[in-house]
Amino acid sequence: AEYEFYGVAMSGRWGINAIAWSPDGMRIAFANNAGDLSIVDASMTTSISLCTSCASMVKSLSWSPNGQRLAAGRDLLAATTVWDTQSGKLIKEIRKGGSRVAWSPDGGTLAVLSTQLNRVVLLSTTRWTQMRTLDLPFASSHLSWSPDGRSLVAAGASGSVVLLPLDKTAPLVAAPPIVCKNSGVNVYLV
């Protein structure tokens, strides 16, 4: 197959560590292993640098549904940062130890996964206050919202997946895993 070369968004000897399309498909956010965080337009002709040689490596990126903000989950116990995608200014630094981030479909909640603490913190994006903490039954490294925003799913290198229904008010308790047929994946319903 042949591919047309469009341009270079980030160059150098550092590999790309995280990448995410904007919801409108017009921009792409990149983070590299040196801690640089940039947004480029999809034609690769203009860019905005959000952070150069940030204090710690960005592990995940998540755009707000309206594309006005970008959350960057950082390595280990470092702060999660939220950026204005038009001005490039830092909006919020969140010290919840999150290395994986995901915006809710309505944009009202930011889920911050601490891979070291095995915990998800749900933050209100209007006041940046903690709404809820979800302890996970195993080490997780991936996080995603359901399209209706009523559940989260977290997964880890162990091959386990946990479904987290958010409309329950009871504390989360890990149930014995259900092994999905022919997949080798353990699914925890909590």
Side-chain angles (χ1 to χ4, degrees), residues 82-160:
V82 179
W83 302 87
D84 180 296
T85 60
Q86 298 300 316
S87 69
K89 292 184 179 177
L90 179 66
I91 294 172
K92 189 71 179 171
E93 187 174 67
I94 304 159
R95 299 237 171 238
K96 297 292 179 187
S99 60
R100 301 292 187 263
V101 290
W103 288 92
S104 64
D106 68 3
T109 306
L110 181 66
V112 178
L113 169 65
S114 170
T115 56
Q116 196 162 34
L117 299 175
N118 300 332
R119 176 178 299 156
V120 177
V121 176
L122 301 178
L123 301 168
S124 162
T125 60
T126 54
R127 295 191 175 135
W128 298 109
T129 55
Q130 185 170 321
M131 299 165 45
R132 191 168 175 191
T133 300
L134 310 170
D135 291 313
L136 302 175
F138 54 82
S140 298
S141 54
H142 303 284
L143 186 65
S144 183
W145 285 90
S146 64
D148 64 7
R150 294 175 55 197
S151 299
L152 279 166
V153 63
S158 66
S160 295

Side-chain angles (χ1 to χ4, degrees), residues 18-32:
I19 189 169
W21 281 97
S22 64
D24 64 5
M26 301 301 291
R27 296 170 290 164
I28 307 167
F30 296 90
N32 67 20

Side-chain angles (χ1 to χ4, degrees), residues 3-46:
Y3 299 96
E4 183 177 343
F5 180 72
Y6 282 97
V8 176
M10 282 185 155
S11 62
R13 60 189 175 105
W14 301 103
I16 299 297
N17 212 42
I19 189 169
W21 281 97
S22 64
D24 64 5
M26 301 301 291
R27 296 170 290 164
I28 307 167
F30 296 90
N32 67 20
N33 291 339
D36 302 329
L37 175 58
S38 297
I39 296 174
V40 298
D41 66 59
S43 66
M44 302 284 183
T45 57
T46 60

Side-chain angles (χ1 to χ4, degrees), residues 36-79:
D36 302 329
L37 175 58
S38 297
I39 296 174
V40 298
D41 66 59
S43 66
M44 302 284 183
T45 57
T46 60
S47 67
I48 181 172
S49 178
L50 300 179
C51 187
T52 304
S53 299
C54 300
S56 63
M57 193 182 324
V58 173
K59 291 292 194 177
S60 70
L61 297 168
S62 182
W63 291 82
S64 63
N66 64 10
Q68 295 178 358
R69 296 181 277 181
L70 179 71
R74 300 198 171 278
D75 200 12
L76 300 176
L77 294 175

